PDB file of all heavy atoms in Angstrom:
ATOM      1  N   GLU A  76     -75.420  62.370 -85.508  1.00  0.00           N
ATOM      2  CA  GLU A  76     -75.577  60.921 -85.568  1.00  0.00           C
ATOM      3  C   GLU A  76     -74.710  60.317 -86.667  1.00  0.00           C
ATOM      4  O   GLU A  76     -74.088  59.267 -86.481  1.00  0.00           O
ATOM      5  CB  GLU A  76     -77.053  60.591 -85.800  1.00  0.00           C
ATOM      6  CG  GLU A  76     -77.342  59.137 -86.015  1.00  0.00           C
ATOM      7  CD  GLU A  76     -77.686  58.824 -87.459  1.00  0.00           C
ATOM      8  OE1 GLU A  76     -78.104  59.722 -88.196  1.00  0.00           O
ATOM      9  OE2 GLU A  76     -77.516  57.653 -87.844  1.00  0.00           O
ATOM     10  N   ILE A  77     -74.629  60.979 -87.797  1.00  0.00           N
ATOM     11  CA  ILE A  77     -73.787  60.497 -88.894  1.00  0.00           C
ATOM     12  C   ILE A  77     -72.323  60.469 -88.466  1.00  0.00           C
ATOM     13  O   ILE A  77     -71.597  59.508 -88.750  1.00  0.00           O
ATOM     14  CB  ILE A  77     -73.971  61.365 -90.146  1.00  0.00           C
ATOM     15  CG1 ILE A  77     -75.347  61.159 -90.741  1.00  0.00           C
ATOM     16  CG2 ILE A  77     -72.919  61.050 -91.202  1.00  0.00           C
ATOM     17  CD1 ILE A  77     -75.690  62.145 -91.839  1.00  0.00           C
ATOM     18  N   ALA A  78     -71.883  61.512 -87.777  1.00  0.00           N
ATOM     19  CA  ALA A  78     -70.488  61.566 -87.331  1.00  0.00           C
ATOM     20  C   ALA A  78     -70.180  60.439 -86.341  1.00  0.00           C
ATOM     21  O   ALA A  78     -69.127  59.791 -86.436  1.00  0.00           O
ATOM     22  CB  ALA A  78     -70.199  62.919 -86.701  1.00  0.00           C
ATOM     23  N   ILE A  79     -71.084  60.176 -85.419  1.00  0.00           N
ATOM     24  CA  ILE A  79     -70.862  59.124 -84.424  1.00  0.00           C
ATOM     25  C   ILE A  79     -70.852  57.750 -85.091  1.00  0.00           C
ATOM     26  O   ILE A  79     -69.979  56.917 -84.823  1.00  0.00           O
ATOM     27  CB  ILE A  79     -71.928  59.197 -83.316  1.00  0.00           C
ATOM     28  CG1 ILE A  79     -71.714  60.459 -82.485  1.00  0.00           C
ATOM     29  CG2 ILE A  79     -71.897  57.958 -82.436  1.00  0.00           C
ATOM     30  CD1 ILE A  79     -72.832  60.769 -81.537  1.00  0.00           C
ATOM     31  N   VAL A  80     -71.803  57.511 -85.984  1.00  0.00           N
ATOM     32  CA  VAL A  80     -71.862  56.217 -86.667  1.00  0.00           C
ATOM     33  C   VAL A  80     -70.646  56.030 -87.566  1.00  0.00           C
ATOM     34  O   VAL A  80     -70.095  54.924 -87.659  1.00  0.00           O
ATOM     35  CB  VAL A  80     -73.183  56.071 -87.444  1.00  0.00           C
ATOM     36  CG1 VAL A  80     -73.168  54.848 -88.331  1.00  0.00           C
ATOM     37  CG2 VAL A  80     -74.346  56.004 -86.481  1.00  0.00           C
ATOM     38  N   ALA A  81     -70.193  57.091 -88.220  1.00  0.00           N
ATOM     39  CA  ALA A  81     -68.987  56.981 -89.055  1.00  0.00           C
ATOM     40  C   ALA A  81     -67.775  56.620 -88.211  1.00  0.00           C
ATOM     41  O   ALA A  81     -66.948  55.790 -88.623  1.00  0.00           O
ATOM     42  CB  ALA A  81     -68.756  58.282 -89.806  1.00  0.00           C
ATOM     43  N   ALA A  82     -67.663  57.213 -87.025  1.00  0.00           N
ATOM     44  CA  ALA A  82     -66.547  56.865 -86.143  1.00  0.00           C
ATOM     45  C   ALA A  82     -66.625  55.407 -85.698  1.00  0.00           C
ATOM     46  O   ALA A  82     -65.605  54.699 -85.656  1.00  0.00           O
ATOM     47  CB  ALA A  82     -66.544  57.792 -84.928  1.00  0.00           C
ATOM     48  N   ILE A  83     -67.821  54.943 -85.395  1.00  0.00           N
ATOM     49  CA  ILE A  83     -67.993  53.544 -85.008  1.00  0.00           C
ATOM     50  C   ILE A  83     -67.655  52.617 -86.169  1.00  0.00           C
ATOM     51  O   ILE A  83     -67.009  51.578 -85.991  1.00  0.00           O
ATOM     52  CB  ILE A  83     -69.425  53.299 -84.490  1.00  0.00           C
ATOM     53  CG1 ILE A  83     -69.629  54.029 -83.163  1.00  0.00           C
ATOM     54  CG2 ILE A  83     -69.715  51.813 -84.343  1.00  0.00           C
ATOM     55  CD1 ILE A  83     -71.048  54.037 -82.671  1.00  0.00           C
ATOM     56  N   LEU A  84     -68.062  53.001 -87.384  1.00  0.00           N
ATOM     57  CA  LEU A  84     -67.745  52.182 -88.551  1.00  0.00           C
ATOM     58  C   LEU A  84     -66.246  52.091 -88.792  1.00  0.00           C
ATOM     59  O   LEU A  84     -65.734  51.030 -89.163  1.00  0.00           O
ATOM     60  CB  LEU A  84     -68.434  52.734 -89.795  1.00  0.00           C
ATOM     61  CG  LEU A  84     -69.943  52.542 -89.890  1.00  0.00           C
ATOM     62  CD1 LEU A  84     -70.481  53.196 -91.140  1.00  0.00           C
ATOM     63  CD2 LEU A  84     -70.292  51.082 -89.840  1.00  0.00           C
ATOM     64  N   ILE A  85     -65.536  53.178 -88.570  1.00  0.00           N
ATOM     65  CA  ILE A  85     -64.079  53.152 -88.726  1.00  0.00           C
ATOM     66  C   ILE A  85     -63.463  52.195 -87.716  1.00  0.00           C
ATOM     67  O   ILE A  85     -62.573  51.401 -88.060  1.00  0.00           O
ATOM     68  CB  ILE A  85     -63.503  54.571 -88.596  1.00  0.00           C
ATOM     69  CG1 ILE A  85     -63.904  55.410 -89.806  1.00  0.00           C
ATOM     70  CG2 ILE A  85     -61.988  54.539 -88.444  1.00  0.00           C
ATOM     71  CD1 ILE A  85     -63.594  56.884 -89.664  1.00  0.00           C
ATOM     72  N   LEU A  86     -63.934  52.233 -86.479  1.00  0.00           N
ATOM     73  CA  LEU A  86     -63.405  51.324 -85.458  1.00  0.00           C
ATOM     74  C   LEU A  86     -63.728  49.863 -85.772  1.00  0.00           C
ATOM     75  O   LEU A  86     -62.885  48.984 -85.589  1.00  0.00           O
ATOM     76  CB  LEU A  86     -63.964  51.706 -84.086  1.00  0.00           C
ATOM     77  CG  LEU A  86     -63.469  53.027 -83.519  1.00  0.00           C
ATOM     78  CD1 LEU A  86     -64.196  53.339 -82.214  1.00  0.00           C
ATOM     79  CD2 LEU A  86     -61.972  52.988 -83.296  1.00  0.00           C
ATOM     80  N   VAL A  87     -64.937  49.604 -86.250  1.00  0.00           N
ATOM     81  CA  VAL A  87     -65.318  48.234 -86.607  1.00  0.00           C
ATOM     82  C   VAL A  87     -64.471  47.735 -87.771  1.00  0.00           C
ATOM     83  O   VAL A  87     -64.009  46.593 -87.782  1.00  0.00           O
ATOM     84  CB  VAL A  87     -66.825  48.152 -86.939  1.00  0.00           C
ATOM     85  CG1 VAL A  87     -67.180  46.826 -87.588  1.00  0.00           C
ATOM     86  CG2 VAL A  87     -67.645  48.367 -85.691  1.00  0.00           C
TER      87      VAL A  87
END
Side-chain angles (χ1 to χ4, degrees):
E76 174 253 338
I77 291 170
I79 291 169
V80 171
I83 292 171
L84 288 177
I85 290 170
L86 291 175
V87 168

